[in-house]
Amino acid sequence: MFTIDIDETLSARDFYFELNNQLDALLSGERDLICNAAQFSAFIMQTLPNLNWAGLYFVRQEELVLGPYVGKVACTRIPFSKGVCGAAARSGKIQKINDVHIIEDHIACDAASNAELVLPIIVDGKIKAVFDIDSPLKNRFSDEDQHGIAMLVETFTSSSDWNWQIL
Ligand code: SME
């Protein structure tokens, strides 16, 4: 059994460094993308407080298709032109949304979501996926959270083989 053991008295910066070490250990020895995406989503839900959804959407011909996640059932396909995930995919920039209700084309999958962080995953200069996290708390994600979670996404990305095909 893999146990995750984090000292909660750490500063935000050290908390994320510690989490990153644990994630590195969790994913070491495995490069399968789907396997690591599932583990990564569960790891985030298990270690970060106040989240209701965490998971991947993979790029498939100018469209995002739902991948492994933890949370309530979600929309399966999101065009690049729509939603917070689409904005991350087409701009290649992290989208940190303090209140999803003021974003006109936000796509509501879980009515409990009030804040959202979407991080694009770019490999060899190409957008491959986005990692999406939702929270029931407005203003859930600070700049420190954004930087820390970006580090975790980078560890997941570099630990996985992105040259995969379905069957
Ligand atoms: N809220 C996202 C859609 C995905 S779900 O939150 C899981 C968006 O606006 O793109």
Side-chain angles (χ1 to χ4, degrees):
M1 188 177 71
F2 186 91
T3 52
I4 299 165
D5 185 20
I6 308 283
D7 175 356
E8 292 190 356
T9 63
L10 294 172
S11 67
R13 193 171 161 275
D14 289 345
F15 170 75
Y16 280 109
F17 277 121
E18 183 52 35
L19 268 191
N20 198 45
N21 288 336
Q22 306 242 352
L23 178 65
D24 203 30
L26 177 66
L27 301 183
S28 71
E30 179 56 68
R31 291 197 60 81
D32 185 278
L33 179 59
I34 299 302
C35 173
N36 284 352
Q39 286 286 60
F40 181 48
S41 302
F43 177 87
I44 290 290
M45 284 298 271
Q46 200 172 325
T47 56
L48 300 187
N50 300 311
L51 302 182
N52 59 306
W53 202 94
L56 277 295
Y57 279 90
F58 292 114
V59 172
R60 298 266 178 275
Q61 289 146 3
E62 296 285 306
E63 203 173 35
L64 294 163
V65 180
L66 185 63
Y69 68 94
V70 178
K72 287 193 176 172
V73 292
C75 38
T76 52
R77 288 175 185 263
I78 300 176
F80 271 32
S81 56
K82 272 203 179 162
V84 183
C85 291
R90 66 177 182 269
S91 68
K93 301 229 163 73
I94 295 175
Q95 307 292 306
K96 180 161 80 69
I97 310 295
N98 291 330
D99 179 358
V100 296
H101 305 289
I102 58 175
I103 304 294
E104 232 168 66
D105 73 341
H106 167 256
I107 302 164
C109 291
D110 180 346
S113 299
N114 281 311
E116 183 161 16
L117 185 67
V118 185
L119 304 100
I121 295 180
I122 295 167
V123 180
D124 297 333
K126 281 193 189 150
I127 178 80
K128 295 282 189 181
V130 300
F131 184 62
D132 182 19
I133 311 178
D134 287 7
S135 170
L137 298 186
K138 282 184 188 169
N139 302 304
R140 164 64 182 82
F141 304 108
S142 65
D143 288 346
E144 276 171 332
D145 290 314
Q146 178 178 326
H147 290 132
I149 294 166
M151 175 171 63
L152 300 176
V153 168
E154 178 50 41
T155 295
F156 156 66
T157 303
S158 60
S159 300
S160 306
D161 179 6
W162 290 84
N163 294 314
W164 68 294
Q165 291 184 339
I166 303 173
L167 303 177

